Amino acid sequence: MRYFVELAYDGTNYHGWQLQPNASSVQGVINDALAKLLRPNPAYIVGCGRTDTGVHADYFVAHFDVEQPIEDVDYAKFKLNSILPPDVAVYSIQLVDDELHSRFSATERTYFYRLTTEKSPQMRWRAFHPYFAPNYDLMNRAAEKMIGVQDFTSFSRLHTQTNNNICDVRAAQWELYDGCNWQFRITANRFLRNMVRAVVGTLFDVGRGKISIEQFGDIIEAKNRALASTSAAPQGLSLVDVVYPEGHGFQRRVKGLV
């Protein structure tokens, strides 16, 4: 039997989502909590993707399989939250069809990369405070070149096990929020490892006048990571939405940010 879990986490204290042999991960702490909840039969959580060290998830979906049904999922959610640390929260646990997979069944994902225009102690781990004032109009005109189905090798971490680097980017835009702060919204069917931070870092070069809009397009076409810029700092990045096909027993219980 397969259960989907809606959750969120602050990634500040973790070395990403993925299990790490000698470091704390979000997947690891959830597995530990599930082992206590479901003892003596442990379950292993599978996420909709992986986030890097220091990256957050305002909305994340994962699944686990068990042989016996959970009698009271609301109570299980309550118990799981009581076991988990304060920086990880479970919003729902739902029985779904066995063929629905939290990673491979997702049809769309959205990330926000947030900037704060003023130095803020409260936001230091949730948004990036740049020491420069980027031109958001130039960055948006460059981001338009990302829309569509393309090879994004230039923004991918090297030497991954991915079969191809083709992504269908459906939205990519800087937008004002909270009156004075900015966020980069990017939506695609899939993302490569480190892709969003590499994109943002390269857009910063456009916004600072280091490269032109045309050069940004050339970087995409070159399929060469060495031509793109350094990845943006991790704390500004958050996964905020994951979309699944209708049916299969899953119903979104959390109001989205997008």
Side-chain angles (χ1 to χ4, degrees):
M1 294 182 173
R2 177 159 294 175
Y3 288 87
F4 260 39
V5 181
E6 292 180 295
L7 61 113
Y9 56 85
D10 183 320
T12 302
N13 295 320
Y14 299 99
H15 289 257
W17 163 266
Q18 195 79 2
L19 276 173
Q20 303 289 331
N22 298 304
S24 179
S25 69
V26 181
Q27 188 179 30
V29 298
I30 296 177
N31 279 342
D32 290 344
L34 282 173
K36 295 175 182 176
L37 176 70
L38 302 172
R39 63 178 54 162
N41 301 311
Y44 301 97
I45 198 83
V46 177
C48 60
R50 59 172 66 185
T51 55
D52 293 332
T53 299
V55 174
H56 315 291
D58 296 345
Y59 182 76
F60 194 93
V61 180
H63 77 259
F64 64 89
D65 296 328
V66 291
E67 293 185 2
Q68 299 297 324
I70 298 174
E71 294 183 4
D72 188 337
V73 291
D74 289 333
Y75 181 71
K77 182 192 78 170
F78 168 78
K79 289 294 293 182
L80 200 58
N81 275 322
S82 69
I83 299 169
L84 287 167
D87 49 12
V88 181
V90 169
Y91 297 133
S92 78
I93 300 174
Q94 303 178 44
L95 180 66
V96 300
D97 295 342
D98 288 344
E99 68 268 18
L100 195 65
H101 193 283
S102 59
R103 178 183 175 189
F104 299 123
S105 298
T107 60
E108 188 173 276
R109 299 165 174 85
T110 298
Y111 282 88
F112 286 171
Y113 190 91
R114 297 183 175 100
L115 298 185
T116 177
T117 57
E118 299 288 342
K119 184 178 180 180
S120 169
Q122 290 76 24
M123 293 292 290
R124 70 189 186 281
W125 301 121
R126 296 290 298 176
F128 175 61
H129 174 51
Y131 59 87
F132 52 87
N135 185 315
Y136 295 97
D137 178 62
L138 287 178
M139 292 196 296
N140 271 335
R141 288 163 60 192
E144 290 176 1
K145 293 186 174 294
M146 299 182 62
I147 303 299
V149 180
Q150 301 183 68
D151 188 318
F152 287 96
T153 296
S154 292
F155 303 116
S156 174
R157 181 172 293 173
L158 299 176
H159 311 303
T160 67
Q161 298 178 342
T162 304
N163 292 328
N164 70 78
N165 292 332
I166 305 296
C167 302
D168 178 9
V169 175
R170 299 161 185 174
Q173 184 179 25
W174 287 94
E175 54 194 18
L176 194 64
Y177 79 102
D178 283 350
C180 61
N181 297 320
W182 289 81
Q183 64 190 14
F184 179 60
R185 175 197 300 259
I186 182 166
T187 300
N189 67 322
R190 65 189 287 253
F191 288 93
L192 310 175
R193 291 197 64 186
N194 202 238
M195 176 175 167
V196 181
R197 290 170 57 203
V199 166
V200 172
T202 309
L203 285 175
F204 283 161
D205 284 352
V206 176
R208 300 167 65 188
K210 294 179 67 175
I211 63 173
S212 67
I213 296 170
E214 291 72 23
Q215 287 173 313
F216 182 84
D218 292 340
I219 290 171
I220 298 175
E221 294 179 4
K223 305 178 184 64
N224 185 345
R225 180 65 182 90
L227 298 180
S229 187
T230 303
S231 297
Q235 70 268 24
L237 185 59
S238 294
L239 176 64
V240 299
D241 195 45
V242 188
V243 176
Y244 293 92
E246 293 184 1
H248 306 285
F250 177 67
Q251 294 184 341
R252 181 162 181 158
R253 306 284 176 81
V254 180
K255 184 177 180 181
L257 299 175
V258 299

